Amino acid sequence: MHMQNVVVMEHPLIRHKITILRKTSTGHKEFCELVEEISMLMAYEATRDLPLKDIEIETPLTKTMQKVIEGKKLCAVPVLRAGLGMVDGIRTLIPNAKVGHIGLYRDHDTLQPVEYYCKLPSDISERLVIVLDPMLATGGSVAAAVDLIKARGAKNIKLMSIVAAPEGIKCVTDRHPDITLYVGAVDEGLNENGYIVPGLGDAGDRLFGTQ
Ligand code: PRP
Ligand code: URA
């Protein structure tokens, strides 16, 4: 495992909110709000190294050179469905981010990802791409999503996952050693059905009320 490419969130707000997210008693509305809030806090960490440029502005007192983020070069790519719950958190911080979508579901028997949708901005190769999927279990879905994004020419790719299993981190860092992973928590492992333990259950079902 290339742990040098993995940033595990230490911030007390993120840890606190993930604990509430895990609880069975946390209902649909609160679950959605927490995923959005955690995503916003994680985006703050994941954008720490965005390039800045100098611009001249006028304050009420004088002209001055100051820093702004260089260009509008970010693209968030949620992995459907559960990744959708993370988009608004990013957009709160970066309203101009473009959004691509990748539809993948995990076959219940084989646990292999099955692709059903892919729509990415045409200029994705020039952007920092942040892949969003709250659950990194076997890692198959995210690794396949990154394959699709790389096939469109993207070179600068990060992943944000709220809960990760060590198996998923290993899979993604082995297959894509060039990407940086931002994970909210690293859990114990997977159960016999490929669910993260202790985890939070099925993120898509809890976000969209389909359980
Ligand atoms: C979940 C989750 C991830 C995937 C993680 O999606 O949102 O995409 O499983 O599992 P993996 O790391 O083993 O691939 P799911 O297949 O349940 O689809 P859904 O979001 O449409 O419910
Ligand atoms: N997908 C989920 O939503 N939860 C898990 O624990 C594993 C995969």
Side-chain angles (χ1 to χ4, degrees):
M1 219 189 294
H2 306 261
M3 279 308 276
Q4 69 271 22
N5 295 345
V6 183
V7 182
V8 183
M9 300 294 119
E10 302 286 347
H11 199 290
L13 281 173
I14 298 179
R15 296 185 69 171
H16 177 89
K17 287 174 190 291
I18 293 176
T19 298
I20 303 172
L21 198 63
R22 293 179 186 279
K23 290 165 68 174
T24 314
S25 57
T26 297
H28 163 69
K29 179 171 175 287
E30 195 183 3
F31 192 91
C32 292
E33 289 166 357
L34 285 164
V35 167
E36 188 176 328
E37 289 166 11
I38 293 163
S39 304
M40 186 174 67
L41 293 167
M42 289 180 68
Y44 180 80
E45 295 292 341
T47 52
R48 236 174 225 292
D49 57 356
L50 280 186
L52 294 168
K53 67 175 181 184
D54 294 310
I55 61 160
E56 188 181 72
I57 59 160
E58 269 184 59
T59 75
L61 302 185
T62 183
K63 287 185 176 174
T64 171
M65 294 300 287
Q66 298 292 334
K67 303 281 185 195
V68 290
I69 291 170
E70 193 177 46
K72 295 171 187 152
K73 296 215 180 301
L74 201 127
C75 178
V77 180
V79 178
L80 308 184
R81 291 175 300 165
L84 288 174
M86 301 176 74
V87 173
D88 286 351
I90 306 261
R91 284 185 132 180
T92 303
L93 289 188
I94 308 156
N96 290 319
K98 287 199 177 179
V99 182
H101 294 87
I102 292 180
L104 290 170
Y105 70 88
R106 201 170 69 149
D107 183 277
H108 277 290
D109 298 321
T110 64
L111 300 184
Q112 291 306 304
V114 181
E115 181 195 335
Y116 61 88
Y117 189 76
C118 182
K119 182 81 180 168
L120 301 171
S122 53
D123 61 354
I124 196 162
S125 62
E126 294 152 33
R127 293 178 175 270
L128 163 63
V129 179
I130 304 187
V131 180
L132 307 174
D133 194 330
M135 307 306 284
L136 186 63
T138 64
S141 301
V142 162
V146 174
D147 284 339
L148 290 169
I149 292 164
K150 284 185 174 172
R152 303 291 179 92
K155 285 165 206 72
N156 193 2
I157 303 171
K158 298 184 181 203
L159 165 72
M160 278 175 35
S161 281
I162 296 177
V163 179
E167 294 88 333
I169 293 175
K170 178 169 178 5
C171 168
V172 174
T173 54
D174 283 354
R175 276 175 61 178
H176 299 290
D178 53 320
I179 81 168
T180 307
L181 282 59
Y182 296 83
V183 297
V186 181
D187 277 15
E188 288 161 22
L190 301 175
N191 71 9
E192 61 283 6
N193 299 318
Y195 274 82
I196 301 174
V197 181
L200 49 75
D202 189 306
D205 282 348
R206 293 192 69 178
L207 273 167
F208 298 110
T210 46
Q211 64 269 53

